[in-house]
């Protein structure tokens, strides 16, 4: 089916869940289109290095679960601490992005400057 999509003019071909590197190599060998690797930690498809993916014919790799899986682990650690201790005091610094840093990431300083500049002075 992937070859047929390539012949039909697909810009990119994605084959769902190859389960071995050998299968991925065969896909790369048999489809002459850019291939997409869907890398899910704990999924069925082996997660290969970027260099190896390129070597076997994959030009795009996505990691759709990486962020939310990391967030889930962080939430579990923080809420476990909160449950055990009763507050967030003593939470290791690396376990929190920090409120100030989060405000900066969200662009709040620019919003606050805008508000100061344009606020009514009555």
């Amino acid at each position: 089916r992937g070859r047929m999509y390539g012949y039909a003019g697909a810009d990119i071909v994605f084959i769902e869940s190859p389960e071995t590197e050998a299968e991925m190599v065969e896909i790369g060998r048999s489809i002459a289109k850019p291939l997409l690797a869907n890398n899910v930690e704990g999924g069925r498809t082996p997660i290969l290095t970027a260099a190896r993916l390129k070597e076997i014919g994959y030009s795009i790799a996505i990691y759709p679960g990486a962020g939310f899986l990391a967030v889930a682990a962080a939430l579990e650690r923080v809420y476990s601490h909160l449950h055990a201790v009763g507050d967030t005091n003593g939470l290791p610094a690396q376990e929190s992005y920090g409120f100030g840093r989060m405000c900066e990431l969200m662009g709040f300083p620019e919003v606050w400057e805008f508000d100061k500049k344009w606020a009514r002075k009555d």
Side-chain angles (χ1 to χ4, degrees), residues 29-81:
R29 212 178 282 142
S30 64
I31 299 174
K33 287 288 184 170
L35 297 171
L36 181 139
N38 182 25
N39 295 302
V40 177
E41 296 76 6
R44 294 189 314 223
T45 302
I47 297 177
L48 307 177
T49 66
R52 180 64 177 145
L53 286 169
K54 184 175 181 177
E55 181 182 311
I56 65 173
Y58 287 78
S59 55
I60 302 167
I62 61 171
Y63 298 80
F68 74 79
L69 293 171
V71 167
L75 288 170
E76 183 176 51
R77 290 190 304 272
V78 169
Y79 290 134
S80 292
H81 175 91

Side-chain angles (χ1 to χ4, degrees), residues 17 66 68 75 93 113 115 117-118:
S17 294
F68 74 79
L75 288 170
E113 286 303 313
D115 285 349
K117 180 178 179 180
W118 297 102

Side-chain angles (χ1 to χ4, degrees), residues 17-34:
S17 294
E19 296 185 9
T20 67
E21 185 172 339
E23 288 180 7
M24 295 175 77
V25 168
E26 179 57 30
I27 291 165
R29 212 178 282 142
S30 64
I31 299 174
K33 287 288 184 170

